[in-house]
Amino acid sequence: MEPLPSLAVVIPLLSATALLAVGPAVGRPVLDLAGAAAAAATAVVCVLLATTSTLVVTWFGGWEPLGGEAIGQNFAIDPFGAGTAALAAVLTAASLLFSWRYFEAIGALYHTLMLLFLGGMVGFALTGDMFNLFVFFELLTTTGYALTAYEVERPAPLQGSLNFAVTNTIGAFLLVHGIGFLYGRTGTLNLAEIGRELGDGPPDATVIVAFLLISTGLFVKAAIVPFHFWLPDAHAVAPTPVSVLFSGVMIELGLYGWARVYWTVFSGQLEPHVGDLRVLLVAIGTLTAIVGGVMALAQWHLKRLLAFSSVSHAGLILIGVGLLDAGALAGAGIYTLAHGAVKGALFLAVGILLHHHRSVDEGRLRGRGRSQPVTAAVFIAGGLGLAGLPPFGTTLGKQLIEEAAAHLHYEWVGAVFVVAGALTAGAVLRAAGRVFFGWGPPPRRDVEQAAEEPLPETDDNGTGRQHTPAVMLLPAAALVVIAVAIGLAAPLAGAAESAAERFVDVQAYQAAVMDGATVRLEPRPGVALNASAMVLGALAAGGAVAIALGALNRDRIPQRLLRPVTAVAVPALTFLERIQSGHVGDYVAWITVGAAALGGSYLLVLR
């Protein structure tokens, strides 16, 4: 076990360096296989770490705490962090395997950036040091900028990368200043030691400002409304295998980081305010889930559709985290794993459509996917997974969240999951009906706006392909299977509950990190899907089918029935589309507004 924590980061980072060095001298197959193998090896290491029965603490160079003070750098690895890192590695391996036949020509720089991105994500999930959290945050973010603008000769990726860079740099600026406030207050950067130094007294102004800055910085990364504007712009223009990582795990890392910092650093001082803080976080999560779902339904660009779907599901995960309860946190963890697999499969399916037809526009693709039954099956299954239809893992995750919410008298949270699931899955199923079956009329906006759509990201000779290589289909299908397997793995839910109880136990975390105590996870019985979760999942899926069929047959619906809906929906959509302007200055303004609103809310909650 001793070398595993180091290997989890060393493997991707050293592999990236090696591929960059030898890239010009080896062929493309070597680069693809070596990159995927490095990511797969990282995944194996992270899975081994996630299945340990204790909190794994590693002090690099043997610099262990002395006299109750941390003097070295450490990893403090629990199943949640290791599981998130494993998800990142699995999605990276799938993306690199998919890339093998997706790109006609690509250099070693792409593989290097992908592995650096993976190293940043893994380090972010495993570190026990506040400043290293920021360093890994920056490593994955800056490589994300470069990957978004990988096709640097085209203006659209440059613009998307610029929006991504400016907004996330502001987030990083706020995060590092929050860390600075904590360092000034406690004199240390170790998460466990900061929490011990702060103790459980009332928070002073320095702590509240640090909490606000760190929350805002991580919410920008997690694309929480109103900090989300950068994400659809980046997803629409990034190479599709990169979008898998952005939607599947990168934004979820922002929420994992918030949960890690909250429970290890702030939970002691903020404990008297948990009730009010819970109301605020669940409200923000609900707003994010609904806004993302509505905007997903309004998209015709398939990658933007999936990007807004990710915003919506980030809101649902925030609800699970923001309930500030171990059971809900366990559900959020399972939901994150299942959503990552489902979203990865959906993006890869869109990549296959792009590979064949040179377009990701729903209108242009109308009926052109009829000859792709496997891709259609993956796409439809992914849509149903977003709805939370049993037995997908999303169902099991939201079951745990809903049970915890009901225990805390938030019974209406189940309705939020149904509505958000129906909206996002309805958008995906509508696209599936139009693309793979040719249902519905051509979109009216097709004539006016199709010419404005960003060009596809591949740089081949402009002709579509008739054959889908197995290395493109298999990763997409495998991710769907993984999402279903998570839902059927009753022991996984029990393990998640056990891990969540340890995750929120700040005294145990401090004892393990600072005192070398052995903290074991208590085994819990497995949790199977119950009837209520299956009914709610079926309700969301049914709602999604109804929304999709209604959108595809809109012209057949009597106007008197549509009028009340359009009277509400059109002004709301018009406003949401107007503020999603594509201008980075507008996005910076919304970050300012959001930070001010969050700060005012924190002052009210923590007064």
Side-chain angles (χ1 to χ4, degrees):
M1 184 61 65
E2 185 64 29
L4 289 183
S6 302
L7 286 175
V9 173
V10 167
I11 290 174
L13 296 185
L14 276 186
S15 300
T17 306
L19 289 183
L20 187 63
V22 305
V26 300
R28 169 78 185 277
V30 174
L31 293 174
D32 290 321
L33 288 174
T42 305
V44 171
V45 171
C46 292
V47 168
L48 291 174
L49 289 170
T51 54
T52 57
S53 59
T54 61
L55 181 66
V56 179
V57 179
T58 295
W59 291 94
F60 297 105
W63 293 86
E64 298 186 358
L66 187 65
E69 295 183 0
I71 56 176
Q73 308 297 316
N74 75 308
F75 276 178
I77 305 171
D78 67 295
F80 266 69
T84 305
L87 172 65
V90 167
L91 292 181
T92 304
S95 297
L96 286 170
L97 191 61
F98 183 88
S99 301
W100 188 355
R101 299 296 299 275
Y102 181 74
F103 294 107
E104 290 255 324
I106 201 164
L109 180 60
Y110 170 76
H111 304 82
T112 299
L113 289 173
M114 289 287 279
L115 291 175
L116 287 176
F117 193 71
L118 173 60
M121 290 190 289
V122 172
F124 184 88
L126 303 186
T127 185
D129 185 273
M130 196 74 199
F131 190 73
N132 286 340
L133 189 86
F134 170 75
V135 171
F136 285 119
F137 177 93
E138 280 301 281
L139 175 60
L140 73 92
T141 304
T142 50
T143 51
Y145 306 154
L147 284 167
T148 301
Y150 189 77
E151 294 177 88
V152 69
E153 67 279 2
R154 294 174 46 215
L158 285 177
Q159 181 181 358
S161 179
L162 179 65
N163 291 351
F164 182 7
V166 171
T167 53
N168 278 260
T169 298
I170 293 173
F173 176 83
L174 297 174
L175 176 62
V176 75
H177 278 73
I179 294 171
F181 275 104
L182 282 180
Y183 183 72
R185 175 69 169 74
T186 63
T188 181
L189 291 169
N190 184 275
L191 285 166
E193 191 176 0
I194 294 173
R196 182 170 282 183
E197 288 291 328
L198 291 179
D200 55 4
D204 56 27
T206 303
V207 173
I208 293 175
V209 171
F211 184 49
L212 169 64
L213 294 175
I214 292 171
S215 296
T216 305
L218 293 172
F219 282 174
V220 170
K221 176 64 64 186
I224 298 300
V225 172
F227 309 114
H228 67 289
F229 294 100
W230 64 271
L231 187 138
D233 291 355
H235 279 224
V237 296
T240 299
V242 176
S243 299
V244 171
L245 301 181
F246 284 0
S247 259
V249 67
M250 185 183 74
I251 61 174
E252 288 81 357
L253 277 172
L255 295 175
Y256 168 81
W258 188 92
R260 167 57 72 201
V261 173
Y262 170 77
W263 266 290
T264 56
V265 173
F266 296 106
S267 62
Q269 293 206 334
L270 301 186
E271 178 63 27
H273 309 282
V274 160
D276 292 335
L277 190 58
R278 178 182 295 132
V279 172
L280 174 63
L281 294 171
V282 171
I284 297 172
T286 301
L287 176 65
T288 303
I290 300 303
V291 168
V294 170
M295 285 297 288
L297 204 56
Q299 305 304 311
W300 300 101
H301 189 290
L302 295 181
K303 292 172 70 176
R304 287 182 70 87
L305 184 158
L306 295 179
F308 278 111
S309 163
S310 296
V311 172
S312 178
H313 288 270
L316 296 179
I317 295 170
L318 176 59
I319 291 174
V321 174
L323 284 168
L324 304 178
D325 175 84
L329 184 65
I334 292 177
Y335 198 92
T336 297
L337 293 178
H339 171 262
V342 166
K343 192 54 62 67
L346 282 168
F347 266 108
L348 294 183
V350 171
I352 293 171
L353 288 172
L354 182 59
H355 177 80
H356 273 263
H357 308 294
R358 305 289 302 151
S359 177
V360 290
D361 181 85
E362 184 180 327
R364 290 178 179 174
L365 290 170
R366 181 171 175 267
R368 296 172 68 183
R370 287 192 177 96
S371 61
Q372 298 171 261
V374 178
T375 306
V378 168
F379 201 80
I380 294 170
L384 296 174
L386 292 182
L389 182 71
F392 282 95
T394 46
T395 318
L396 185 58
K398 71 186 185 68
Q399 171 184 314
L400 298 182
I401 295 173
E402 288 162 357
E403 288 177 350
H407 181 70
L408 296 167
H409 307 293
Y410 283 74
E411 292 86 355
W412 53 270
V413 160
V416 176
F417 274 83
V418 170
V419 171
L423 289 173
T424 55
V428 171
L429 295 181
R430 181 204 66 201
R434 185 168 277 121
V435 172
F436 296 106
F437 301 100
W439 294 344
R444 293 168 182 168
R445 39 69 60 199
D446 207 30
V447 176
E448 300 176 354
Q449 301 180 7
E452 301 177 4
E453 297 293 343
L455 292 173
E457 63 254 29
T458 52
D459 58 351
D460 62 9
N461 58 14
T463 59
R465 302 161 173 93
Q466 300 301 316
H467 173 67
T468 304
V471 293
M472 296 179 71
L473 276 174
L474 287 177
L479 289 175
V480 171
V481 172
I482 290 173
V484 172
I486 291 172
L488 296 175
L492 178 63
E497 289 185 330
S498 176
E501 288 181 354
R502 280 288 173 245
F503 191 94
V504 303
D505 188 348
V506 62
Q507 282 77 25
Y509 180 86
Q510 292 169 356
V513 174
M514 300 303 298
D515 305 327
T518 299
V519 177
R520 296 190 178 281
L521 276 65
E522 299 296 330
R524 296 286 299 270
V527 179
L529 289 172
N530 61 31
S532 174
M534 288 191 278
V535 168
L536 289 176
L539 190 61
V545 172
I547 289 173
L549 291 177
L552 291 169
N553 297 279
R554 186 177 55 184
D555 293 342
R556 301 179 183 178
I557 301 175
Q559 287 300 310
R560 59 184 174 79
L561 297 179
L562 284 177
R563 200 168 294 120
V565 178
T566 55
V568 176
V570 171
L573 268 178
T574 302
F575 172 75
L576 292 174
E577 289 180 336
R578 184 176 299 162
I579 62 177
Q580 186 75 41
S581 63
H583 298 294
V584 68
D586 294 347
Y587 298 172
V588 173
W590 277 107
I591 290 177
T592 306
V593 170
L598 190 61
S601 302
Y602 276 0
L603 285 177
L604 290 174
V605 168
L606 306 176
R607 64 187 185 279

